[in-house]
Amino acid sequence: MPQHPGPALPATGAIEPEYLEELRGDGARMAPHWAVTVSPPARHVSPVAASCIRGISVPAASADLLAGMSDYGD
């Protein structure tokens, strides 16, 4: 897929943080707003043998989408 880079955003008013320190500061200011929940430990589930897995189907649109993707990303 061809890429058409746009003009660079100016440093003032840019949406993305320009420096790691700015990003860390933004995260530190947001951290107190996030609630911490402790979930109960997950129960142990035994793995299923591959020979027992049958009938997996993938929609054609999903298969086409994945087939059109680059293996290494762009």
Side-chain angles (χ1 to χ4, degrees):
M1 179 182 332
Q3 296 182 0
H4 304 285
L9 292 174
T12 57
I15 296 172
E16 295 183 14
E18 188 174 348
Y19 300 103
L20 179 59
E21 293 81 18
E22 184 181 349
L23 180 61
R24 292 179 68 192
D26 291 345
R29 283 188 297 280
M30 289 187 290
H33 301 288
W34 295 331
V36 177
T37 58
V38 178
S39 57
R43 62 184 184 102
H44 178 67
V45 178
S46 301
V48 175
S51 61
C52 295
I53 300 174
R54 301 264 189 249
I56 297 173
S57 61
V58 177
S62 296
D64 292 342
L65 176 69
L66 291 176
M69 289 181 163
S70 169
D71 288 339
Y72 300 103
D74 293 330

